[in-house]
Amino acid sequence: MTQFKGLIVLLFIISITGVQAQQATANEKEVNVKKYTVMEKFEPDYVLPVEERKRLKIERREIVAHRKSILDTLNISDRRRERLFRDLNKNPFSDRVNKQFAEIEFEDDADIEDQSK
């Protein structure tokens, strides 16, 4: 009976480890860019190399993730937050998102203004 319980616990631990490994590989998505573009065929000097385009795409993803984390912490309505998330997914540098970031007031700014008076 104790061997049966031990076997069940062992199978449970193995299944949890397998699920965590699958989630880890799902989070590390491969960056795909077109290796050859139509413009590269006619004007190869105007197109960035594949490695450079991959690097830029990774940077843009990091910027979007950082901006999403900032939007999550703002004290705004849920509807507005969802609208900003949609805008952020379509265009990370949209006017609506940039305007929201420009309106952010930090606690340190208020302290500095009070001290200057």
Side-chain angles (χ1 to χ4, degrees):
M1 187 66 173
T2 58
Q3 289 179 349
F4 182 68
K5 288 181 182 178
L7 183 62
I8 290 176
V9 170
L10 181 65
L11 290 175
F12 182 72
I13 291 172
I14 290 172
S15 65
I16 289 176
T17 307
V19 169
Q20 288 175 347
Q22 287 175 354
Q23 289 176 348
T25 57
N27 290 340
E28 299 171 359
K29 292 183 181 177
E30 183 68 29
V31 176
N32 295 326
V33 293
K34 291 183 179 179
K35 187 168 184 176
Y36 301 104
T37 61
V38 175
M39 189 168 180
E40 187 175 31
K41 184 177 181 181
F42 298 107
E43 291 293 335
D45 298 335
Y46 290 131
V47 179
L48 295 173
V50 175
E51 291 79 23
E52 182 71 16
R53 286 184 283 162
K54 282 184 179 180
R55 186 186 62 78
L56 290 172
K57 191 168 190 174
I58 291 170
E59 284 180 11
R60 283 191 297 270
R61 283 185 180 175
E62 290 173 356
I63 289 171
V64 168
H66 180 68
R67 287 184 165 216
K68 280 185 180 181
S69 66
I70 292 173
L71 285 175
D72 272 339
T73 61
L74 292 179
N75 188 15
I76 56 177
S77 68
D78 290 337
R79 291 180 70 193
R80 186 169 188 183
R81 182 176 288 118
E82 291 300 320
R83 190 177 327 124
L84 289 171
F85 280 152
R86 283 194 305 267
D87 285 349
L88 192 61
N89 287 333
K90 289 179 186 175
N91 181 9
F93 306 104
S94 70
D95 291 335
R96 192 180 305 171
V97 174
N98 287 337
K99 182 180 176 184
Q100 183 63 45
F101 280 113
E103 293 174 355
I104 296 175
E105 292 184 18
F106 297 101
E107 293 176 3
D108 295 339
D109 292 342
D111 293 340
I112 292 171
E113 289 176 7
D114 291 340
Q115 290 176 358
S116 65
K117 289 183 181 180

